Amino acid sequence: MINKINLLINISLFPFQNLSFLGQKKIFAALGYIEEKSEVGKADRQKAQNELRIEIQNEVLRKARPKSMDEINLLMQKFYPMLCSDDEAERSGFRFKDSKNPLAIEKKLYLHYFHILEEFGDALISYRDGDVVFKYWKNDVNQDKKWRFIDFMDQYKGQDKVRFFHAISRFIPLDLIIMLHFIKNGLRNPIQLHEFYQHVNLADAALDDILRRGVAENHIHASAAFNFSILWQTVMNGRIEAGYLQKFLPNHLATSKHNVESYILTARLLRLVMTIYLNEQVYRNHSETCQVEAVVDQHLPFFVWLKNSFEQQDNQTLELLWSLIRDRSCEFAKSEELLSAIERVRIAYIDIGDPEPSDFIFSIFKNHGGIKTYGENIFLHLVISYKQLIQQLPSFDEYFEQFFRTFFIYVSIKNEFYQQVTQPTVMHGLDFFRGYFDRATDGIAKNRDYYKTMLRTLFQNGYLKKVELRISIKNKLQTNKQTLYEILSSYREVLQEDYKVEDDPQVEFPMLGIVYHLIKQPDNSNKDLWQYDQERDHTLKRALHFGDLQEQYIKQVQHLQELRRVIPMATNFIVGLDAASLENNTPVQVFAPVFEEARDSKYDALRIVDPQGNILPRQSLFFTFHAGEDFRHLISGLRRIDEVIRYCKLHAGDRIGHGIALGVDIPEWVRYNPLVIIPRGEYLDNLLWIWGVYSHTASLQTETLVYLERTIDRIAAELFGEVVSAGDLRIPVLYNVYERRFKRRTEEVMKLQQDREDKGDPEDYERTMKLQDKLYAAYHQEATLLKMEKPIYVMTDEIEQIMMSDMQKYLIHKVSVSGIVIEVNPSSNEAIGEIDSVFGNQLFKLQSAGNSALENVLVNVNSDDPMVFNTNVSNELVYMYYGMLQQGMGREAALDWIEKLRKAGMDTSFIRGARSRKQYLHILDMTINALETYASPL
């Protein structure tokens, strides 16, 4: 189903989904019209049609999985019949008969695009209780509506429509579709945009009632807690991080060969010029509402206005615009030329107030400043209102063609950028996701309003009651203190300005917690543990594999605990510790001593005393860990989850981030992964872990044991054959070394160094070393590390599949009885992990209506990175709701289950305590004051 949906979306939106067809020149050529000649011959038209068809096919094959070329061609006939043949163009009114009036054809083409988008809006958008909501019910196609393009919706049930919504919302911004729906349904007064930002509520009325009881967001990375509208507003107003667009690295789906900065600056210029035109010409007499008399016979065509406005005062800008719009060059000017043009236009036309608004739209349309929405929504609402007013008036054909040619260039640029920062489901893996994350998060300028904007973006979800923000720990204590101060101060300002807590201290507002995460990083294999000198810290880098990084993590944790010790009130907001980023970068073994340090009782206490002498309980630090999310082999993902629980001292109430490996359908995974390429050392760790699990169970089959032991013997001999003799490589010894590697590296090596010194003769010591010491030392020697990193092939044969199944069952049971919570992130898990769709989430393996034994696995549902996946925690819960319905569960039972998940999210949050809102605000104020006065060392 999802492949068909992706294919349909790609083809239906191809003319303006990216920069491939910028300016529509290739499309006009296929229609038999080029501006220089007005009309071309039949042979040239057919050639252009063939070239266009090939380019469309190539575009589609990069982003979708069609069954055949015939399927692409049929969908083209459905959505764009006039581009398939002369006869179809003739029948649909797209053949040029009168070369004196070519503009009507261009207008007709743009109206065709708008018609497709309007039908999508009709199928997907509705309103309820003042919210924009998802039209989850089945469409009554061509009964009360005459739809030309999306009659397929007649076949879509609720769950299928959710799939479609999920797919299209990851493909283009929905704001244009929503504004088209607004205007089509008569919502022309911009006040209708008040308190609408980007969110479309997916919940039906019954589910909405449940979610209003409150949801918790327990897994969200602070730098990705914004949304695309915030990022677009930032780049359109030039408030981006220095150098962001110059270092912006598009992914393989990018269609433009141009410099990213050039096309983004072009969009800025076009948006600016179009907004000024709308203000000066279109709405100058009726700025609050859009009336027909405001535009008829009272404004200039767009190109005439450009010429009159810029020819004398700013001919450079006019030439830039002419080249792109009038002449259809499809070439972007140089960045420095565009920046200069933007600045000249701003100085000439915008009265910048003090303070300057977040979007220049509000500086131009000042009467809309009181509307709580994004400037982009105001802009699109004005544009579509203008379209609605003139589209039926033949005397305005020229106006329509000129303005909306410009508008669709702008839309194409915006959609291209959207697809670079919102991740589709075209490739799994955190390394692929990382590019989207960096592109999405590096652009927001980290100025004084950074955290306020981030929090306001999150709080647009009116259901939200608790939110944990994940931020990284820095190496300097002062930096961590300053960041915490900025977050809490911004939070306090938002509560004062938006929730008016000074007037009503008991008003409901979201509670905030901070989870600090350690960033997983790789290390090189150039190691020699005998070079380690405990008196010289810098020798760690060359001596121990991950030794230097482990010590860095421990120091960061000590900084974190120092903050909690010196400012006891901060324990109410510093609530958790995490390890995140690329899972294959850093073994869990590196983190075991780090989390052990964090949980040391020396850092904790039972009570704290506030500055006023009140005695309060001290909140403990909870743990979470990204594991089982991104793995080369399913057993690797399962092993890491178990290692975290066992060696990182996770207790009941602590959490595993993602845990996708727990819910993977093993036969399906094996079908797609019959042969896995994996580092040899990782494969040995997998086998030793399995052996360790089996050693505590009586259910091991003889055939599996023989296979496991023979494979361990073979891999170990390949790795350690030059270190010890093959006969000495006994599995219990190898397993003991595997467990030893979870201890603090410096302490283990110091013991070896002391034994070496006591021996006196280094050569004699190495010759008489204990077998376990020899093997441990090999893990910090370049020769062995290179062998460990060498990729090998592993067949996922029948016995491997049996072991996978046994380990998954073992781990699910262990998680269930231990009280460890699994953080489920449906959209993220689909895009990154081994999940085939948002409805195939691991939740349905961990909690199944037909398997009561699994009901004790605790989960909470979250959004992970809203900017990258265009979602929020409420919609993620809704996706699970529709997934339950698709699994065959009744609606009442599904609602009960969502209530259970909602409550679990609130109950398993690290934000704890039953304080009143007044007490909470008092603690917040005291914490901020303490952070202001606390002078920590650099």
Side-chain angles (χ1 to χ4, degrees):
M1 172 64 78
I2 193 63
N3 289 337
K4 301 299 182 186
I5 289 173
N6 285 335
L7 177 63
L8 189 149
I9 293 171
N10 270 273
I11 292 177
S12 63
L13 304 179
F14 89 87
F16 51 87
Q17 63 164 296
N18 53 39
L19 299 178
S20 295
F21 303 98
L22 191 73
Q24 313 295 315
K25 286 183 72 172
K26 297 170 185 175
I27 293 171
F28 282 118
L31 289 172
Y33 168 70
I34 56 176
E35 218 153 356
E36 296 82 2
K37 298 170 62 176
S38 293
E39 191 168 4
V40 300
K42 183 174 182 179
D44 288 335
R45 288 198 303 273
Q46 290 179 342
K47 179 182 177 183
Q49 289 167 6
N50 288 334
E51 290 175 351
L52 179 64
R53 181 165 54 251
I54 291 170
E55 186 160 356
I56 291 170
Q57 289 172 352
N58 290 337
E59 281 292 307
V60 168
L61 289 172
R62 290 164 62 240
K63 299 181 180 180
R65 298 172 184 172
K67 178 182 178 182
S68 63
M69 292 300 181
D70 180 63
E71 190 174 24
I72 297 175
N73 295 335
L74 288 173
L75 280 170
M76 278 296 296
Q77 288 181 33
K78 178 68 174 177
F79 284 95
Y80 298 98
M82 67 283 195
L83 298 177
C84 298
S85 71
D86 278 356
D87 290 341
E88 290 287 1
E90 182 84 42
R91 281 191 289 270
S92 52
F94 277 93
R95 278 286 292 119
F96 286 101
K97 293 298 186 181
D98 182 2
S99 61
K100 295 179 182 178
N101 186 28
L103 298 181
I105 300 301
E106 186 165 356
K107 174 184 175 181
K108 189 175 181 67
L109 187 66
Y110 299 145
L111 286 173
H112 187 89
Y113 300 160
F114 280 128
H115 192 159
I116 292 172
L117 292 172
E118 285 174 349
E119 288 197 7
F120 282 145
D122 287 343
L124 299 174
I125 303 300
S126 188
Y127 317 115
R128 184 183 65 237
D129 299 335
D131 281 347
V132 178
V133 299
F134 169 61
K135 188 181 288 186
Y136 57 87
W137 54 90
K138 187 176 179 180
N139 294 102
D140 190 17
V141 175
N142 290 338
Q143 299 300 315
D144 58 333
K145 302 180 187 300
K146 298 299 181 184
W147 285 349
R148 292 169 52 192
F149 304 114
I150 61 168
D151 42 305
F152 64 86
M153 282 288 183
D154 189 32
Q155 307 302 316
Y156 277 18
K157 297 176 291 186
Q159 299 93 305
D160 298 325
K161 285 189 70 176
V162 173
R163 285 178 185 267
F164 189 90
F165 180 90
H166 188 251
I168 196 170
S169 66
R170 299 265 287 275
F171 198 78
I172 62 168
L174 296 184
D175 48 10
L176 178 56
I177 291 177
I178 293 168
M179 291 308 126
L180 282 163
H181 196 263
F182 272 31
I183 300 305
K184 184 179 179 181
N185 287 278
L187 305 181
R188 295 188 183 179
N189 192 323
I191 199 66
Q192 297 293 333
L193 302 175
H194 189 66
E195 295 186 342
F196 171 73
Y197 291 93
Q198 177 179 302
H199 175 64
V200 176
N201 189 344
L202 297 182
D204 60 25
L207 185 55
D208 180 77
D209 290 339
I210 289 175
L211 297 179
R212 288 189 186 280
R213 299 169 191 168
V215 299
E217 173 61 88
N218 301 318
H219 185 132
I220 190 168
H221 299 278
S223 56
F226 300 89
N227 57 39
F228 176 77
S229 294
I230 289 289
L231 179 60
W232 186 247
Q233 178 175 281
T234 298
V235 297
M236 286 297 97
N237 288 273
R239 295 190 177 91
I240 53 178
E241 284 285 280
Y244 170 60
L245 294 177
Q246 289 93 339
K247 65 181 182 181
F248 191 101
L249 296 176
N251 66 21
H252 71 286
L253 297 177
T255 57
S256 174
K257 299 180 177 64
H258 300 91
N259 180 280
V260 172
E261 185 177 33
S262 291
Y263 71 68
I264 290 294
L265 292 174
T266 299
R268 277 186 66 188
L269 179 60
L270 295 180
R271 185 179 190 257
L272 183 57
V273 169
M274 285 189 288
T275 305
I276 295 167
Y277 172 74
L278 291 171
N279 183 53
E280 286 200 353
Q281 292 292 311
V282 177
Y283 299 119
R284 64 182 186 272
N285 295 328
H286 298 265
S287 57
E288 293 185 5
T289 57
C290 308
Q291 305 295 332
V292 174
E293 58 267 24
V295 296
V296 175
D297 298 327
Q298 293 185 11
H299 71 290
L300 298 172
F302 187 55
F303 286 2
V304 175
W305 175 80
L306 285 176
K307 187 173 185 296
N308 291 350
S309 300
F310 293 97
E311 188 172 42
Q312 297 300 322
Q313 296 91 341
D314 189 1
N315 192 58
Q316 287 177 278
T317 297
L318 183 62
E319 290 301 319
L320 285 178
L321 294 168
W322 272 173
S323 174
L324 182 66
I325 305 170
R326 188 190 64 182
D327 303 336
R328 300 182 194 267
S329 69
C330 299
E331 293 293 331
F332 300 112
K334 294 180 180 178
S335 298
E336 51 271 21
E337 295 175 353
L338 290 161
L339 280 169
S340 296
I342 291 167
E343 190 60 27
R344 290 193 299 269
V345 175
R346 281 170 57 86
I347 292 172
Y349 288 93
I350 301 180
D351 178 20
I352 302 299
D354 187 22
E356 184 179 353
S358 58
D359 196 325
F360 69 75
I361 300 293
F362 294 107
S363 293
I364 295 175
F365 284 90
K366 291 184 171 61
N367 53 308
H368 297 333
I371 300 174
K372 293 183 178 180
T373 189
Y374 294 130
E376 182 72 0
N377 290 335
I378 296 287
F379 170 68
L380 293 176
H381 190 270
L382 294 168
V383 167
I384 304 308
S385 294
Y386 181 44
K387 163 198 167 286
Q388 189 77 3
L389 293 171
I390 67 171
Q391 66 182 8
Q392 301 300 329
L393 303 172
S395 59
F396 282 86
D397 286 353
E398 182 180 19
Y399 294 69
F400 194 99
E401 173 267 330
Q402 293 174 4
F403 185 85
F404 287 100
R405 181 192 298 181
T406 308
F407 179 71
F408 273 104
I409 292 173
Y410 169 78
V411 168
S412 297
I413 295 172
K414 181 179 174 183
N415 289 342
E416 171 82 25
F417 189 69
Y418 186 82
Q419 291 175 58
Q420 290 301 307
V421 300
T422 305
Q423 184 175 344
T425 308
V426 295
M427 183 184 298
H428 294 307
L430 277 169
D431 42 2
F432 179 63
F433 154 80
R434 189 72 218 185
Y436 284 94
F437 184 89
D438 292 343
R439 285 186 291 272
T441 59
D442 287 353
I444 307 292
K446 295 177 175 58
N447 55 28
R448 61 186 178 86
D449 291 328
Y450 177 83
Y451 291 115
K452 287 178 68 174
T453 302
M454 177 192 66
L455 292 168
R456 283 192 166 114
T457 304
L458 285 171
F459 296 169
Q460 288 167 13
N461 179 2
Y463 303 135
L464 197 63
K465 301 300 182 186
K466 294 181 179 181
V467 57
E468 297 174 19
L469 291 177
R470 302 199 179 190
I471 63 174
S472 57
I473 308 176
K474 305 303 180 184
N475 288 326
K476 291 187 177 181
L477 184 57
Q478 176 66 18
T479 305
N480 292 314
K481 188 216 82 167
Q482 183 63 28
T483 300
L484 181 61
Y485 171 74
E486 290 174 0
I487 292 174
L488 295 183
S489 298
S490 298
Y491 176 51
R492 188 64 165 96
E493 289 179 39
V494 170
L495 296 184
Q496 290 171 333
E497 295 168 9
D498 297 2
Y499 293 86
K500 310 300 181 185
V501 294
E502 301 292 351
D503 301 331
D504 180 7
Q506 297 302 334
V507 68
E508 288 288 320
F509 55 80
M511 300 172 71
L512 181 68
I514 307 296
V515 175
Y516 285 90
H517 56 218
L518 305 161
I519 303 299
K520 298 174 186 176
Q521 301 174 48
D523 198 6
N524 61 55
S525 57
N526 183 19
K527 305 296 177 183
D528 182 355
L529 95 168
W530 301 122
Q531 291 185 8
Y532 170 58
D533 182 349
Q534 58 181 316
E535 303 297 330
R536 300 159 65 200
D537 287 345
H538 69 275
T539 60
L540 279 171
K541 294 180 179 179
R542 288 186 56 82
L544 304 179
H545 198 216
F546 289 102
D548 186 58
L549 188 60
Q550 188 176 78
E551 294 302 311
Q552 178 182 312
Y553 289 149
I554 290 173
K555 186 175 181 181
Q556 288 176 344
V557 163
Q558 290 169 346
H559 285 169
L560 176 61
Q561 292 289 20
E562 173 69 3
L563 264 180
R564 286 169 51 90
R565 183 187 68 80
V566 179
I567 306 178
M569 306 306 295
T571 60
N572 294 279
F573 302 100
I574 302 175
V575 297
L577 178 68
D578 182 23
S581 195
L582 302 184
E583 191 167 338
N584 293 318
N585 272 355
T586 315
V588 176
Q589 299 151 355
V590 177
F591 291 100
V594 181
F595 278 74
E596 186 172 6
E597 174 75 14
R599 188 144 267 172
D600 196 312
S601 295
K602 68 185 178 184
Y603 293 118
D604 226 335
L606 297 177
R607 297 288 182 269
I608 57 176
V609 180
D610 71 19
Q612 297 179 355
N614 299 311
I615 300 175
L616 302 171
R618 177 186 174 96
Q619 179 166 324
S620 297
L621 191 69
F622 283 81
F623 289 173
T624 181
F625 199 111
H626 283 64
E629 174 187 17
D630 181 31
F631 40 84
R632 302 176 178 111
H633 195 294
L634 178 57
I635 290 177
S636 298
L638 294 168
R639 169 175 58 82
R640 289 168 185 154
I641 294 172
D642 193 40
E643 289 175 344
V644 170
I645 295 171
R646 181 179 178 186
Y647 298 103
C648 292
K649 305 296 168 77
L650 265 64
H651 300 162
D654 291 330
R655 306 196 301 246
I656 293 290
H658 301 285
I660 294 172
L662 293 170
V664 169
D665 183 285
I666 292 175
E668 189 74 3
W669 188 87
V670 170
R671 188 165 72 87
Y672 283 104
N673 299 275
L675 186 67
V676 177
I677 188 166
I678 184 173
R680 183 188 278 120
E682 181 179 324
Y683 186 49
L684 179 61
D685 280 350
N686 289 349
L687 297 172
L688 290 171
W689 170 68
I690 294 170
W691 183 88
V693 173
Y694 277 146
S695 67
H696 295 91
T697 180
S699 61
L700 179 61
Q701 299 180 24
T702 303
E703 184 181 3
T704 304
L705 177 62
V706 171
Y707 172 88
L708 184 60
E709 291 183 342
R710 285 181 177 176
T711 308
I712 291 174
D713 289 342
R714 175 174 59 82
I715 299 297
E718 293 171 357
L719 285 172
F720 305 114
E722 297 179 5
V723 178
V724 298
S725 63
D728 292 331
L729 287 172
R730 297 186 301 277
I731 293 178
V733 175
L734 290 166
Y735 185 76
N736 286 337
V737 174
Y738 161 75
E739 290 194 306
R740 184 176 177 181
R741 287 157 54 212
F742 288 92
K743 298 179 180 179
R744 189 168 179 174
R745 280 157 162 72
T746 54
E747 293 179 355
E748 289 303 301
V749 173
M750 284 167 61
K751 294 175 185 176
L752 294 179
Q753 290 278 27
Q754 187 62 51
D755 290 345
R756 193 184 195 204
E757 291 177 10
D758 292 345
K759 195 74 172 179
D761 184 354
E763 291 185 4
D764 183 48
Y765 168 72
E766 292 182 27
R767 187 171 56 253
T768 59
M769 279 179 73
K770 296 177 182 177
L771 178 60
Q772 190 182 108
D773 290 345
K774 282 185 179 182
L775 292 171
Y776 182 84
Y779 279 95
H780 300 281
Q781 298 289 345
E782 183 175 20
T784 307
L785 289 171
L786 289 174
K787 293 179 184 178
M788 290 178 179
E789 292 171 359
K790 185 175 180 180
I792 61 171
Y793 290 112
V794 175
M795 293 293 297
T796 54
D797 55 24
E798 184 178 351
I799 295 182
E800 290 270 344
Q801 189 169 340
I802 290 171
M803 292 192 298
M804 286 183 227
S805 180
D806 288 346
M807 294 304 103
Q808 191 181 60
K809 290 175 183 175
Y810 151 78
L811 200 51
I812 289 174
H813 178 73
K814 182 173 183 175
V815 169
S816 175
V817 299
S818 67
I820 303 299
V821 183
I822 305 300
E823 299 168 354
V824 170
N825 307 274
S827 293
S828 170
N829 297 158
E830 178 200 8
I832 295 174
E834 301 283 343
I835 301 294
D836 60 353
S837 80
V838 72
F839 293 157
N841 193 269
Q842 68 269 32
L843 169 68
F844 302 116
K845 179 99 174 187
L846 301 177
Q847 294 191 353
S848 169
N851 189 350
S852 59
L854 299 179
E855 291 181 357
N856 291 326
V857 176
L858 296 171
V859 300
N860 60 45
V861 176
N862 311 278
S863 63
D864 199 4
D865 297 294
M867 181 179 277
V868 181
F869 304 116
N870 190 27
T871 190
N872 63 29
V873 62
S874 303
N875 280 359
E876 296 296 278
L877 281 164
V878 178
Y879 289 139
M880 295 298 92
Y881 170 70
Y882 284 108
M884 293 167 191
L885 296 180
Q886 188 183 58
Q887 301 278 332
M889 184 179 290
R891 191 171 293 270
E892 183 178 1
L895 287 169
D896 289 343
W897 202 341
I898 287 295
E899 168 60 12
K900 176 183 174 183
L901 288 174
R902 182 204 66 79
K903 189 173 184 298
M906 295 286 286
D907 293 345
T908 59
S909 171
F910 294 163
I911 301 171
R912 313 186 65 86
R915 304 179 184 90
S916 70
R917 287 296 191 264
K918 184 176 181 179
Q919 290 174 319
Y920 182 83
L921 291 170
H922 180 62
I923 293 171
L924 175 61
D925 286 337
M926 287 189 294
T927 307
I928 293 171
N929 291 336
L931 285 166
E932 275 184 314
T933 57
Y934 169 49
S936 63
L938 294 178

